[in-house]
CSV table of all heavy atoms in Angstrom, one decimal:
chain,number,residue,atom,x,y,z
A,138,GLU,N,1.1,-21.4,13.2
A,138,GLU,CA,1.8,-21.2,11.9
A,138,GLU,C,1.9,-19.7,11.6
A,138,GLU,O,0.9,-19.0,11.7
A,138,GLU,CB,0.9,-21.9,10.8
A,138,GLU,CG,1.6,-21.7,9.4
A,138,GLU,CD,0.8,-22.5,8.3
A,138,GLU,OE1,-0.2,-23.1,8.7
A,138,GLU,OE2,1.2,-22.4,7.2
A,139,PHE,N,3.0,-19.3,11.2
A,139,PHE,CA,3.3,-17.9,10.9
A,139,PHE,C,3.4,-17.7,9.4
A,139,PHE,O,4.1,-18.6,8.8
A,139,PHE,CB,4.6,-17.4,11.6
A,139,PHE,CG,4.5,-17.4,13.1
A,139,PHE,CD1,4.9,-18.6,13.8
A,139,PHE,CD2,3.9,-16.3,13.8
A,139,PHE,CE1,4.8,-18.5,15.2
A,139,PHE,CE2,3.8,-16.4,15.1
A,139,PHE,CZ,4.2,-17.5,15.9
A,140,VAL,N,2.9,-16.6,8.9
A,140,VAL,CA,3.0,-16.3,7.5
A,140,VAL,C,3.9,-15.1,7.4
A,140,VAL,O,3.7,-14.1,8.0
A,140,VAL,CB,1.7,-16.0,6.9
A,140,VAL,CG1,1.9,-15.6,5.4
A,140,VAL,CG2,0.7,-17.2,7.0
A,141,LEU,N,5.0,-15.3,6.8
A,141,LEU,CA,6.0,-14.2,6.6
A,141,LEU,C,5.7,-13.5,5.3
A,141,LEU,O,5.5,-14.0,4.3
A,141,LEU,CB,7.4,-14.8,6.6
A,141,LEU,CG,7.8,-15.6,7.8
A,141,LEU,CD1,9.2,-16.2,7.6
A,141,LEU,CD2,7.8,-14.7,9.1
A,142,VAL,N,5.6,-12.1,5.5
A,142,VAL,CA,5.4,-11.2,4.4
A,142,VAL,C,6.7,-10.6,4.1
A,142,VAL,O,7.3,-9.9,5.0
A,142,VAL,CB,4.3,-10.2,4.6
A,142,VAL,CG1,4.2,-9.3,3.4
A,142,VAL,CG2,3.0,-10.9,5.0
A,143,SER,N,7.2,-10.7,2.9
A,143,SER,CA,8.4,-10.1,2.5
A,143,SER,C,8.4,-8.6,2.5
A,143,SER,O,7.3,-8.0,2.4
A,143,SER,CB,8.9,-10.6,1.1
A,143,SER,OG,8.0,-10.1,0.2
A,144,SER,N,9.5,-8.0,2.7
A,144,SER,CA,9.6,-6.5,2.7
A,144,SER,C,9.1,-5.9,1.4
A,144,SER,O,8.5,-4.9,1.3
A,144,SER,CB,11.0,-6.0,3.0
A,144,SER,OG,11.9,-6.5,2.0
A,145,GLY,N,9.4,-6.6,0.3
A,145,GLY,CA,8.9,-6.2,-1.1
A,145,GLY,C,7.4,-6.1,-1.2
A,145,GLY,O,6.9,-5.1,-1.7
A,146,LYS,N,6.8,-7.1,-0.6
A,146,LYS,CA,5.3,-7.1,-0.7
A,146,LYS,C,4.7,-6.0,0.2
A,146,LYS,O,3.8,-5.3,-0.1
A,146,LYS,CB,4.7,-8.4,-0.2
A,146,LYS,CG,5.0,-9.5,-1.2
A,146,LYS,CD,4.4,-10.8,-0.8
A,146,LYS,CE,4.6,-11.9,-1.8
A,146,LYS,NZ,4.0,-13.2,-1.4
A,147,ARG,N,5.4,-5.7,1.4
A,147,ARG,CA,4.9,-4.6,2.3
A,147,ARG,C,5.1,-3.3,1.6
A,147,ARG,O,4.2,-2.4,1.7
A,147,ARG,CB,5.7,-4.7,3.6
A,147,ARG,CG,5.3,-5.8,4.5
A,147,ARG,CD,5.8,-5.5,5.9
A,147,ARG,NE,7.2,-5.5,6.0
A,147,ARG,CZ,8.0,-6.5,6.2
A,147,ARG,NH1,7.5,-7.7,6.4
A,147,ARG,NH2,9.3,-6.4,6.3
A,148,GLN,N,6.2,-3.1,0.9
A,148,GLN,CA,6.4,-1.9,0.1
A,148,GLN,C,5.4,-1.7,-1.0
A,148,GLN,O,4.9,-0.6,-1.2
A,148,GLN,CB,7.8,-1.9,-0.5
A,148,GLN,CG,8.9,-1.7,0.6
A,148,GLN,CD,10.3,-1.8,0.0
A,148,GLN,OE1,10.4,-2.0,-1.2
A,148,GLN,NE2,11.3,-1.6,0.8
A,149,ASN,N,5.0,-2.8,-1.6
A,149,ASN,CA,4.0,-2.7,-2.7
A,149,ASN,C,2.7,-2.3,-2.1
A,149,ASN,O,1.9,-1.5,-2.7
A,149,ASN,CB,3.9,-4.0,-3.4
A,149,ASN,CG,5.1,-4.3,-4.3
A,149,ASN,OD1,5.8,-3.4,-4.7
A,149,ASN,ND2,5.3,-5.6,-4.6
A,150,ALA,N,2.4,-2.8,-0.9
A,150,ALA,CA,1.1,-2.5,-0.3
A,150,ALA,C,1.0,-1.0,0.1
A,150,ALA,O,0.1,-0.3,-0.1
A,150,ALA,CB,0.9,-3.4,0.9
A,151,ARG,N,2.2,-0.6,0.7
A,151,ARG,CA,2.3,0.9,1.0
A,151,ARG,C,2.1,1.7,-0.2
A,151,ARG,O,1.5,2.8,-0.2
A,151,ARG,CB,3.6,1.2,1.7
A,151,ARG,CG,3.7,0.5,3.1
A,151,ARG,CD,4.9,1.2,3.8
A,151,ARG,NE,5.3,0.4,5.0
A,151,ARG,CZ,6.3,-0.5,5.0
A,151,ARG,NH1,7.0,-0.7,3.9
A,151,ARG,NH2,6.6,-1.2,6.1
A,152,GLY,N,2.8,1.3,-1.3
A,152,GLY,CA,2.7,2.1,-2.5
A,152,GLY,C,1.3,2.2,-3.1
A,152,GLY,O,0.8,3.2,-3.5
A,153,PHE,N,0.6,1.1,-3.0
A,153,PHE,CA,-0.8,1.1,-3.5
A,153,PHE,C,-1.6,2.0,-2.6
A,153,PHE,O,-2.5,2.8,-3.2
A,153,PHE,CB,-1.4,-0.4,-3.4
A,153,PHE,CG,-2.8,-0.5,-3.7
A,153,PHE,CD1,-3.3,-0.4,-5.0
A,153,PHE,CD2,-3.8,-0.5,-2.7
A,153,PHE,CE1,-4.6,-0.5,-5.3
A,153,PHE,CE2,-5.1,-0.6,-3.0
A,153,PHE,CZ,-5.5,-0.6,-4.3
A,154,ILE,N,-1.5,2.0,-1.3
A,154,ILE,CA,-2.2,2.9,-0.4
A,154,ILE,C,-1.9,4.3,-0.7
A,154,ILE,O,-2.8,5.2,-0.8
A,154,ILE,CB,-1.9,2.5,1.1
A,154,ILE,CG1,-2.4,1.1,1.4
A,154,ILE,CG2,-2.5,3.6,2.0
A,154,ILE,CD1,-2.0,0.6,2.8
A,155,VAL,N,-0.6,4.6,-0.9
A,155,VAL,CA,-0.3,6.0,-1.2
A,155,VAL,C,-0.9,6.5,-2.5
A,155,VAL,O,-1.4,7.6,-2.6
A,155,VAL,CB,1.3,6.2,-1.3
A,155,VAL,CG1,1.7,7.5,-1.9
A,155,VAL,CG2,1.9,6.0,0.0
A,156,VAL,N,-0.9,5.6,-3.6
A,156,VAL,CA,-1.5,6.0,-4.8
A,156,VAL,C,-3.0,6.2,-4.7
A,156,VAL,O,-3.6,7.2,-5.2
A,156,VAL,CB,-1.2,4.9,-5.9
A,156,VAL,CG1,-2.0,5.2,-7.1
A,156,VAL,CG2,0.3,4.9,-6.2
A,157,ALA,N,-3.6,5.3,-3.9
A,157,ALA,CA,-5.1,5.5,-3.7
A,157,ALA,C,-5.4,6.8,-3.0
A,157,ALA,O,-6.3,7.5,-3.3
A,157,ALA,CB,-5.6,4.3,-2.9
A,158,VAL,N,-4.6,7.1,-2.0
A,158,VAL,CA,-4.8,8.4,-1.2
A,158,VAL,C,-4.6,9.6,-2.1
A,158,VAL,O,-5.4,10.5,-2.1
A,158,VAL,CB,-3.8,8.4,0.0
A,158,VAL,CG1,-3.9,9.9,0.6
A,158,VAL,CG2,-4.2,7.4,1.0
A,159,LEU,N,-3.6,9.5,-3.0
A,159,LEU,CA,-3.3,10.6,-3.9
A,159,LEU,C,-4.5,10.8,-4.9
A,159,LEU,O,-4.9,11.9,-5.2
A,159,LEU,CB,-2.0,10.4,-4.7
A,159,LEU,CG,-0.7,10.5,-3.9
A,159,LEU,CD1,0.5,10.1,-4.7
A,159,LEU,CD2,-0.6,11.9,-3.3
A,160,TRP,N,-5.0,9.7,-5.4
A,160,TRP,CA,-6.2,9.7,-6.3
A,160,TRP,C,-7.4,10.4,-5.6
A,160,TRP,O,-8.2,11.2,-6.1
A,160,TRP,CB,-6.6,8.4,-6.8
A,160,TRP,CG,-5.8,7.9,-8.0
A,160,TRP,CD1,-4.8,7.0,-8.1
A,160,TRP,CD2,-6.0,8.4,-9.3
A,160,TRP,NE1,-4.3,6.9,-9.4
A,160,TRP,CE2,-5.1,7.8,-10.2
A,160,TRP,CE3,-6.9,9.4,-9.9
A,160,TRP,CZ2,-5.0,8.1,-11.5
A,160,TRP,CZ3,-6.8,9.6,-11.2
A,160,TRP,CH2,-5.9,9.0,-12.0
A,161,ILE,N,-7.6,10.0,-4.3
A,161,ILE,CA,-8.7,10.5,-3.5
A,161,ILE,C,-8.5,12.0,-3.3
A,161,ILE,O,-9.5,12.8,-3.5
A,161,ILE,CB,-8.8,9.8,-2.2
A,161,ILE,CG1,-9.3,8.4,-2.4
A,161,ILE,CG2,-9.8,10.5,-1.3
A,161,ILE,CD1,-9.2,7.5,-1.1
A,162,LEU,N,-7.3,12.4,-3.0
A,162,LEU,CA,-7.0,13.9,-2.8
A,162,LEU,C,-7.2,14.6,-4.1
A,162,LEU,O,-7.7,15.8,-4.1
A,162,LEU,CB,-5.6,14.1,-2.3
A,162,LEU,CG,-5.3,13.6,-0.9
A,162,LEU,CD1,-3.8,13.7,-0.6
A,162,LEU,CD2,-6.1,14.4,0.1
A,163,ALA,N,-6.8,14.0,-5.2
A,163,ALA,CA,-7.0,14.7,-6.5
A,163,ALA,C,-8.5,14.9,-6.8
A,163,ALA,O,-8.9,15.9,-7.3
A,163,ALA,CB,-6.3,13.9,-7.6
A,164,ALA,N,-9.2,13.8,-6.5
A,164,ALA,CA,-10.7,13.9,-6.8
A,164,ALA,C,-11.3,14.9,-5.9
A,164,ALA,O,-12.2,15.7,-6.4
A,164,ALA,CB,-11.3,12.5,-6.5
A,165,LEU,N,-10.9,15.0,-4.6
A,165,LEU,CA,-11.4,16.0,-3.8
A,165,LEU,C,-11.1,17.4,-4.2
A,165,LEU,O,-11.9,18.3,-4.2
A,165,LEU,CB,-10.9,15.8,-2.3
A,165,LEU,CG,-11.5,14.6,-1.6
A,165,LEU,CD1,-10.8,14.4,-0.3
A,165,LEU,CD2,-13.0,14.7,-1.4
A,166,SER,N,-9.8,17.6,-4.7
A,166,SER,CA,-9.4,18.9,-5.2
A,166,SER,C,-10.2,19.3,-6.4
A,166,SER,O,-10.6,20.4,-6.6
A,166,SER,CB,-7.9,18.8,-5.6
A,166,SER,OG,-7.1,18.5,-4.5
């Protein structure tokens, strides 16, 4: 059984990761 992930969900995941990385960078700064 394959689970298909829509491109919208993948983009949301990437956006969440980017935001988290930015927060980490801001905290480190």
Side-chain angles (χ1 to χ4, degrees):
E138 183 177 358
F139 295 94
V140 178
L141 299 177
V142 180
S143 66
S144 60
K146 290 183 178 181
R147 287 197 298 271
Q148 290 177 354
N149 289 339
R151 293 194 194 97
F153 174 79
I154 294 172
V155 170
V156 170
V158 170
L159 291 176
W160 274 106
I161 293 172
L162 290 175
L165 289 174
S166 298

